[in-house]
Amino acid sequence: MPATRVKFYQTGSFAVGNRLLAPDQRAVQADATRTNAITSGHRACQGCGEALGARYVLDAAARATGGQLVVVNATGCLEVFSTPYPESSWRVAWLHSLFGNAPAVAAGVAAALRVRRRADIRVVGQGGDGGTVDIGFGCLSGMFERNDDVLFVCYDNQGYMNTGVQRSGATPPAARTATTQAVGPEPGNAFGQGKNAPLIAMAHEIPYVATATVADLRDLEAKVFRAMELRGARYLHVFVPCPLGWGSAAADTIRLARLAVQSGLFPVFEAEHGEVVAVSPIRQRVGVEEYLRPQRRYAHLFDPVERTDVIARIQAGADRNIARFGLLDGGSP
Amino acid sequence: MFQVRVHGRGGQGVVTTAELLSVAAFGSGRHAQAFPSFGSERTGAPVVAYCRIDTRPIRLREPVLEPDALIVQDSTLIHRVDVFGGLAPRGWVLLNTRLGWEQLAIDGVDRDRVILLPASQLATVHLGRPLPGAALLGGFAAVSDELVTLDSVLAAIKGRFRGGVAQGNAAAAAAAYALVRDARKESVHA
Amino acid sequence: MLRQLEGSQAVAETVARCRPGVVCAYPISPQTHIVEELSAVVKSGALGGCEFINVESEFAAMSVAIGASAAGVRAYTATASQGLLFMVEALYNAAGLGLPIVMTVANRAIGAPINIWNDHSDTMSQRDSGWVQLYAESNQDAVDLHVQAFRLAEELSTPVMVCMDGFVLTHAYEQVDVPTQEAVDAYLPAYRPRQMLDPDEPVTIGAMVGPEAFTEVRYLAHQTQLAVPARLSSLAGEYAAASGRPASRTVCPYRTQDAETVVVALGSVLGTLKDTVDGLRADGERIGVLGITLFRPFPLDAVRTALRQARRVVVLERAFAVGVGGVVTADLAPALRADQRSYTVVAGLGGRPVTRASLRDVLGSAVADTLDPLTFLDLRPELIAPALEGA
């Protein structure tokens, strides 16, 4: 691809490759010749975690595959804000079909590429949490079961954001959404058992499952590279804060992602064939409260009265993750 | 047009019998059509299949309501299902049974129109399993070889089955053919 | 070469010879024999350059086909009834994206109540989806239509469904001539997509189109459909020359030239209908049949021409619109003049056999103009009386 004049907006983080690093250690995002798979001009909200995550993921995938990449996108924010006809911000071959079928469509693309004897062209399917863990779940499981040669990426902002912030199967307990309002004796989303998509992916014993966030850019890129070294069904679950849906400041997106990790609420790990093989340890643990406070979707836990009982239950969830994944011992569970 | 209705129970190869009859008729130079009447596909449940044979293309798709011939693969159906319904005035019946005429207690069909053939027994001997279809087809050819010859029946069997199963079925068909042919010669001479 | 074989098998062989790149399917009666046969053909290696994908639902089946087709490969699937409905969102998606997918639908009733037998409810419920719909009268017809379907789909960039009556055709043994591989190759060239997913020439497929352009997109889809009858005729002519059989036609008139009464129908019931009409002709009735092969787009001009001299038209429906009446009747109405009478006879729902005897009876009433405008053939009063009494 020809060199593209990309604008570097990020400062104050490692996002724009540290010039003290050797070139090969710098992030893909630091490279002026990166694919820029999703280029500027799209209509995402200020501070959109998904736009950030998608750019990191796809530029890394394009780097890993020499640009031989096809992307299949589910319906959702990412698809809507990137393709307002007659404009498109995609610089890669890209297909959007429906909400619930991205994994199946991606499987079809992969099969066609094999038939065309172009298995060198790799397929990435992507969508939000709604399209992945709810409406697309059947197709996702089918893709896993067949071990289709697709990397499927879920950008998890924990709700149906594009349609007005409704609850999804990925919405965490106590969070306010349009369909789990902060009213009544138990405001916000119910405390259920959740739907842990990475663990479900692991239960399918596929070659690679990983979680990542937009707080650690290089970790995210590394996981994409790792995934692209492998063939078969691979799943990457990326935590992406949504300022609009979460009621957080646009400038807080990366910070909130980091807090989710440091509190233990979002474990970061890798698994292969159903076994955890690597865990990112928590360097500086924080209580969940520090993570919850900046988000107005949790405002009812602090105002008018602090709901220490609810916060304690959320903390218990974080504690469980820490124990389960060994997030503080730096080793495997 | 010659219309055949095949009765039996699920698992006895009733549909296969009708299909192979159509293949044999085609092999004998005719137009033929075979299709099942579709009930639930449960082993043991009554099943019906149809076969039409003609010298001209067959367009009709309704079930066979007025059969010129009946093949009954399971005699236990006789008093439970209206097996003989619509049988044409000169229509005949090929009945798989080891029983004698009196024991069968068949009502409403003349003795001289029913051919009794121990097809399951022949199948057990030649094929090792009591699947009577091939033997019944052999018997059918013996009754009306202007429609379907034994050779075409054997070719149809060998086209559908392989190895020992093909040979066993073919042997059963040939044995049945001989049995029915000889019985008819006897009854003519009697 | 003529052979005696099962309809499903004939279709599977034909589709295999059309060299699909991806076949994906989810089993549902009565389509199962088709996909089983294709899976065996692919697995044995007999059909090279093809992947057979067992999917987890019909929605996934059409989705895999969409992905494969968009990536530049000839894609095929098959379904029936509930399965067709389960993939409806994807049906519209495929049509809207202009993907030349070919699908066999083994026509079967839609529940509730669940019913696995043949009628046209399934495909007719999707007549607005943008798919071309072809209805086969016989298994030979089904074979020939599939080959032509791939050509038509790829030339016009529109998906095509070939409808064949479930069980009645799919599970019927009759003689068929499946075109040889050479014959199919000569007629059906390799798929050359209008556009496809290619990293070397990246395109965005499936953009969001707002009010400012959506109407135009749909208008253009309509224009594509309007081009189908003429294109189909020319493709059919080419196929006929190659196969030696009469060309497939959008509508097939039978003894209509001097007919006062014309019975209109689609699918396998046409066989029984023609036998019935021959019987009535022998009795002196001036009656004929109009078979419709191309149902979507609806060939209004051809139908109008074929029915021009008829005084009355009887539409023999294999589906119906609850609370309204006939489906084909409604499509056909603009073709009739005010002086032409039309009768709707709903027949064979849920696989009830349509017999010559019943047809003779109802057509006798039609000819005498003593028939109601809407009749359900062989309706069983003893089953409905108790329910209606209570109402």
Side-chain angles (χ1 to χ4, degrees):
Chain A
M1 298 220 68
T4 182
R5 271 204 355 210
V6 297
K7 305 167 209 176
F8 294 120
Y9 293 112
Q10 293 135 305
T11 59
S13 76
F14 297 110
V16 181
N18 189 331
R19 69 177 191 274
L20 298 178
L21 288 175
D24 60 307
Q25 288 182 300
R26 295 177 197 175
V28 174
Q29 286 301 304
D31 185 354
T33 64
R34 71 175 194 249
T35 301
N36 207 30
I38 175 170
T39 193
S40 50
H42 58 72
R43 316 291 207 253
C45 298
Q46 186 181 52
C48 172
E50 185 162 1
L52 196 64
R55 179 154 54 86
Y56 297 171
V57 166
L58 294 178
D59 281 352
R63 165 76 67 85
T65 60
Q68 298 304 295
L69 187 64
V70 171
V71 179
V72 175
N73 214 131
T75 307
C77 269
L78 182 57
E79 163 264 321
V80 170
F81 69 60
S82 62
T83 60
Y85 179 84
E87 298 169 28
S88 168
S89 57
W90 295 102
R91 291 164 50 79
V92 290
W94 184 94
L95 170 65
H96 159 241
S97 174
L98 297 166
F99 197 8
N101 70 358
V105 175
V109 172
L113 291 170
R114 281 192 297 275
V115 165
R116 278 173 52 200
R117 299 182 198 274
R118 290 303 308 274
D120 58 303
I121 301 175
R122 309 298 300 278
V123 181
V124 173
Q126 59 182 14
D129 49 285
T132 305
V133 317
D134 285 345
I135 196 171
F137 197 59
C139 288
L140 186 70
S141 176
M143 186 207 109
F144 288 163
E145 187 274 320
R146 286 187 304 268
N147 203 30
D148 291 321
D149 190 15
V150 171
L151 165 61
F152 200 87
V153 183
C154 173
Y155 304 105
D156 184 8
N157 54 23
Q158 305 184 329
Y160 290 98
M161 299 317 190
N162 194 245
T163 44
V165 193
Q166 294 87 17
R167 177 237 193 240
S168 79
T171 301
R176 179 196 73 197
T177 69
T179 48
T180 58
Q181 306 242 8
V183 294
E186 291 184 8
N189 196 29
F191 272 83
Q193 63 285 355
K195 195 186 238 192
N196 193 315
L199 287 182
I200 293 167
M202 282 169 60
H204 286 72
E205 312 251 338
I206 56 176
Y208 185 70
V209 175
T211 68
T213 77
V214 291
D216 192 338
L217 164 63
R218 236 173 306 236
D219 176 67
L220 177 53
E221 290 186 349
K223 282 164 178 170
V224 172
F225 292 140
R226 176 72 188 124
M228 297 315 272
E229 283 173 358
L230 303 167
R231 292 270 178 178
R234 294 145 286 139
Y235 181 70
L236 181 57
H237 194 104
V238 187
F239 186 83
V240 296
C242 168
L244 183 80
W246 296 13
S248 56
D252 274 354
T253 293
I254 293 174
R255 186 170 78 87
L256 281 173
R258 189 169 299 121
L259 287 170
V261 173
Q262 307 290 43
S263 66
L265 281 173
F266 189 82
V268 177
F269 63 90
E270 289 172 285
E272 293 180 7
H273 300 288
E275 307 286 341
V276 175
V277 298
V279 169
S280 291
I282 294 173
R283 276 184 267 270
Q284 273 181 286
R285 184 177 183 178
V286 303
V288 297
E289 202 175 307
E290 200 174 322
Y291 165 73
L292 300 173
R293 270 196 189 275
Q295 305 173 56
R296 285 200 304 285
R297 64 174 175 160
Y298 291 113
H300 54 284
L301 299 183
F302 302 99
D303 196 35
V305 116
E306 182 150 337
R307 294 296 302 270
T308 49
D309 55 328
V310 178
I311 295 169
R313 280 181 84 181
I314 296 173
Q315 184 64 59
D319 296 344
R320 182 167 178 245
N321 284 342
I322 288 171
R324 188 178 199 173
F325 288 91
L327 299 175
L328 288 175
D329 4 282
S332 46
Chain B
M1 184 190 302
F2 194 90
Q3 304 190 91
V4 182
R5 196 165 67 213
V6 186
H7 289 268
R9 293 185 183 278
Q12 291 175 342
V14 167
V15 175
T16 305
T17 298
E19 290 172 353
L20 289 179
L21 181 58
S22 81
V23 174
F26 172 78
S28 299
R30 285 188 158 60
H31 293 266
Q33 174 201 80
F35 60 101
S37 149
F38 306 87
S40 352
E41 294 183 15
R42 238 171 38 248
T43 304
V47 172
V48 185
Y50 312 105
C51 180
R52 292 189 164 98
I53 301 170
D54 204 346
T55 50
R56 304 176 311 161
I58 300 167
R59 294 181 307 199
L60 189 61
R61 303 252 178 215
E62 67 184 33
V64 171
L65 304 168
E66 292 169 349
D68 298 298
L70 287 169
I71 298 177
V72 182
Q73 300 202 177
D74 188 321
S75 57
T76 67
L77 288 173
I78 289 171
H79 301 290
R80 283 180 176 75
V81 168
D82 183 17
V83 159
F84 302 112
L87 184 61
R90 297 302 309 145
W92 47 272
V93 181
L94 188 57
L95 177 60
N96 174 29
T97 183
R98 291 202 295 190
L99 299 179
W101 178 253
E102 285 68 32
Q103 289 166 289
L104 288 164
I106 290 173
D107 228 345
V109 187
D110 292 337
R111 172 68 186 91
D112 62 352
R113 293 163 61 200
V114 180
I115 297 117
L116 305 179
L117 175 64
S120 294
Q121 196 174 22
L122 287 171
T124 304
V125 165
H126 293 280
L127 178 65
R129 296 167 66 198
L131 291 172
L136 287 165
L137 288 174
F140 187 99
V143 176
S144 60
D145 61 3
E146 74 280 9
L147 285 177
V148 154
T149 63
L150 176 63
D151 281 345
S152 65
V153 167
L154 297 175
I157 288 169
K158 284 170 188 162
R160 173 66 76 96
F161 303 106
R162 268 182 259 253
V165 175
Q167 279 167 2
N169 274 319
Y177 178 87
L179 202 62
V180 172
R181 183 198 53 200
D182 294 346
R184 284 163 73 77
K185 277 195 199 143
E186 272 184 35
S187 70
V188 165
H189 289 140
Chain C
M1 192 182 81
L2 280 175
R3 282 179 299 151
Q4 181 84 359
L5 70 168
E6 192 196 42
S8 299
Q9 188 165 1
V11 166
E13 279 188 20
T14 304
V15 169
R17 288 177 194 182
C18 292
R19 302 191 188 273
V22 169
V23 175
C24 39
Y26 186 82
I28 181 170
S29 298
Q31 144 269 45
T32 48
H33 291 187
I34 299 173
V35 299
E36 288 164 10
E37 180 64 28
L38 276 167
S39 83
V41 166
V42 173
K43 204 162 167 53
S44 71
L47 176 56
C50 178
E51 287 214 7
F52 183 95
I53 302 180
N54 281 300
V55 287
E56 67 282 0
S57 77
E58 288 90 351
F59 177 63
M62 184 50 64
S63 300
V64 169
I66 285 168
S69 188
V73 149
R74 185 169 284 157
Y76 168 84
T77 185
T79 192
S81 178
Q82 315 297 136
L84 184 69
L85 295 198
F86 198 61
M87 59 159 76
V88 166
E89 202 192 1
L91 271 193
Y92 278 74
N93 189 253
L97 294 178
L99 296 171
I101 298 165
V102 171
M103 170 167 67
T104 309
V105 182
N107 288 115
R108 165 183 148 178
I110 295 173
I114 185 169
N115 172 299
I116 64 167
W117 295 276
N118 164 246
D119 70 28
H120 291 166
S121 308
D122 51 8
T123 49
M124 293 217 168
S125 76
Q126 299 313 310
R127 58 197 185 276
D128 290 346
S129 63
W131 281 63
V132 173
Q133 291 195 8
L134 299 166
Y135 285 73
E137 181 176 337
S138 64
N139 285 330
Q140 181 67 65
D141 207 16
V143 162
D144 293 336
L145 288 175
H146 276 88
V147 182
Q148 294 168 83
F150 280 103
R151 255 305 275 275
L152 180 68
E154 289 170 15
E155 285 193 11
L156 293 183
S157 291
T158 181
V160 178
M161 61 175 80
V162 180
C163 310
M164 61 190 294
D165 287 321
F167 291 129
V168 178
L169 289 183
T170 57
H171 287 56
Y173 262 66
E174 53 196 50
Q175 74 179 22
V176 205
D177 183 359
V178 176
T180 62
Q181 185 66 70
E182 295 70 38
V184 176
D185 286 343
Y187 179 80
L188 182 65
Y191 173 37
R192 296 220 331 254
R194 182 178 57 164
Q195 64 176 13
M196 70 175 179
L197 296 169
D198 182 351
D200 294 338
E201 286 188 41
V203 288
T204 294
I205 301 176
M208 178 169 226
V209 175
E212 63 283 346
F214 188 83
T215 301
E216 285 66 29
V217 171
R218 303 297 290 141
Y219 177 85
L220 290 171
H222 182 58
Q223 299 308 308
T224 300
Q225 288 278 304
L226 293 181
V228 166
R231 183 66 65 100
L232 184 59
S233 291
S234 102
L235 291 180
E238 210 185 304
Y239 185 81
S243 69
R245 281 187 290 283
S248 304
R249 304 169 59 181
T250 57
V251 303
C252 306
Y254 177 78
R255 306 187 80 166
T256 57
Q257 296 93 322
D258 63 336
E260 275 192 2
T261 307
V262 177
V263 189
V264 180
L266 291 81
S268 65
V269 76
L270 286 165
T272 304
L273 195 48
K274 286 174 185 173
D275 273 11
T276 308
V277 159
D278 280 355
L280 290 167
R281 276 273 179 185
D283 292 345
E285 291 295 349
R286 285 167 48 196
I287 185 168
V289 178
L290 182 67
I292 295 181
T293 300
L294 177 72
F295 177 65
R296 276 300 178 270
F298 192 77
L300 201 57
D301 288 340
V303 169
R304 183 182 289 117
T305 303
L307 297 178
R308 204 176 29 218
Q309 80 300 320
R311 278 180 41 193
R312 69 181 68 73
V313 172
V314 179
V315 185
L316 191 66
E317 309 259 4
R318 301 297 318 285
F320 88 112
V322 178
V324 178
V327 170
V328 181
T329 306
D331 281 349
L332 182 148
L336 300 181
R337 301 184 304 271
D339 61 293
Q340 291 175 303
R341 298 188 114 168
S342 113
Y343 296 97
T344 301
V345 175
V346 176
L349 294 182
R352 174 168 295 175
V354 180
T355 64
R356 283 172 300 180
S358 297
L359 287 175
R360 262 189 88 89
D361 211 42
V362 78
L363 292 177
S365 301
V367 157
D369 287 317
T370 56
L371 196 60
D372 285 338
L374 174 66
T375 307
F376 285 75
L377 192 68
D378 295 335
L379 190 66
R380 294 178 58 193
E382 74 277 14
L383 292 183
I384 56 178
L388 292 177
E389 264 160 42

